[in-house]
Amino acid sequence: MRLLRPSIEYKKQITEYKNEFMENGDDLAGTSYLQNYDVYEEWMKFVFDNEKESTKHTEVTASVFLAIREEDNKLIGMINIRHKLNEYLYNFGGHIGYSVRKIERRKGYAKEMLKIALEECTKLEIKKVLLTCDADNIASSKTIEYCGGILENEVRNDENLVKRYWIEL
């Protein structure tokens, strides 16, 4: 698996990914608001603008990556690395958000994606990475722990209980 930047080459696969998630009622975590865009090129501009402080559209800068399976060049998942944390992200969202296609879950891809994303965090000079997940999301908890996450605490976000993990790089 490799993490690649969004490009026109993957337009069709990303559009299919978005539609698949929306049809299943799944959360498009790690896609940087992909669900809000009907025009792929506009989403790509948003993603690349959001990497720089001078052009960002959200409170913090972030980088989006496609998780591409090398054997068949297929989009397996998407991952978003936030360069800094605001108050909400510090409490509930963390540095990294990601999603994996439903048909590709339980195959170890999330672990692989997170390991590679942690290498990207090192390049961004993030020394301590915060990862969060809903307390009832056992798969995400296991993925985070597998990659070295140490549970700090659990906090309530409205009706959800959120686990907060740290990984030192």
Side-chain angles (χ1 to χ4, degrees):
M1 172 167 304
R2 56 197 162 126
L3 294 186
L4 301 176
R5 306 310 320 274
S7 67
I8 291 298
E9 176 186 354
Y10 292 100
K11 177 180 179 175
K12 183 175 187 281
Q13 288 195 59
I14 292 171
T15 302
E16 290 169 353
Y17 187 89
K18 172 188 167 185
N19 293 338
E20 179 183 313
F21 271 73
M22 302 210 37
E23 286 168 12
N24 291 331
D26 287 339
D27 182 15
L28 275 159
T31 65
S32 199
Y33 304 102
L34 178 61
Q35 70 275 8
N36 297 343
Y37 288 87
D38 293 325
V39 178
Y40 178 78
E41 291 78 5
E42 289 176 9
W43 173 76
M44 260 185 55
K45 180 180 181 338
F46 172 84
V47 165
F48 290 117
D49 282 354
N50 220 36
E51 292 181 349
K52 297 181 209 90
E53 195 67 38
S54 61
T55 55
K56 70 180 182 182
H57 301 285
T58 58
E59 288 188 38
V60 298
T61 53
S63 300
V64 175
F65 295 91
L66 312 176
I68 303 294
R69 186 169 50 211
E70 291 189 83
E71 302 87 73
D72 58 4
N73 202 38
K74 183 175 181 185
L75 176 63
I76 299 300
M78 293 179 69
I79 195 159
N80 182 19
I81 302 171
R82 297 150 196 132
H83 303 171
K84 296 178 183 169
L85 300 174
N86 61 16
E87 185 178 347
Y88 176 83
L89 293 172
Y90 180 80
N91 289 304
F92 309 112
H95 281 100
I96 298 174
Y98 58 89
S99 55
V100 175
R101 287 190 123 117
K102 194 172 207 163
I103 60 169
E104 301 295 351
R105 293 179 190 159
R106 301 192 184 283
K107 297 179 182 179
Y109 290 123
K111 290 176 186 173
E112 205 172 333
M113 287 168 58
L114 184 53
K115 283 195 298 188
I116 299 169
L118 291 170
E119 294 170 13
E120 292 296 328
C121 288
T122 300
K123 293 176 191 173
L124 291 166
E125 298 181 3
I126 302 171
K127 302 205 182 322
K128 198 172 176 186
V129 178
L130 175 65
L131 292 148
T132 66
C133 66
D134 288 346
D136 63 356
N137 189 336
I138 295 164
S140 281
S141 290
K142 286 183 177 182
T143 295
I144 294 166
E145 290 167 4
Y146 175 86
C147 291
I150 306 296
L151 180 65
E152 178 179 67
N153 61 2
E154 294 181 357
V155 295
R156 188 148 302 279
N157 182 17
D158 297 325
E159 289 136 34
N160 292 335
L161 191 59
V162 176
K163 289 184 168 187
R164 297 175 69 251
Y165 292 88
W166 290 96
I167 298 176
E168 297 223 21
L169 300 177

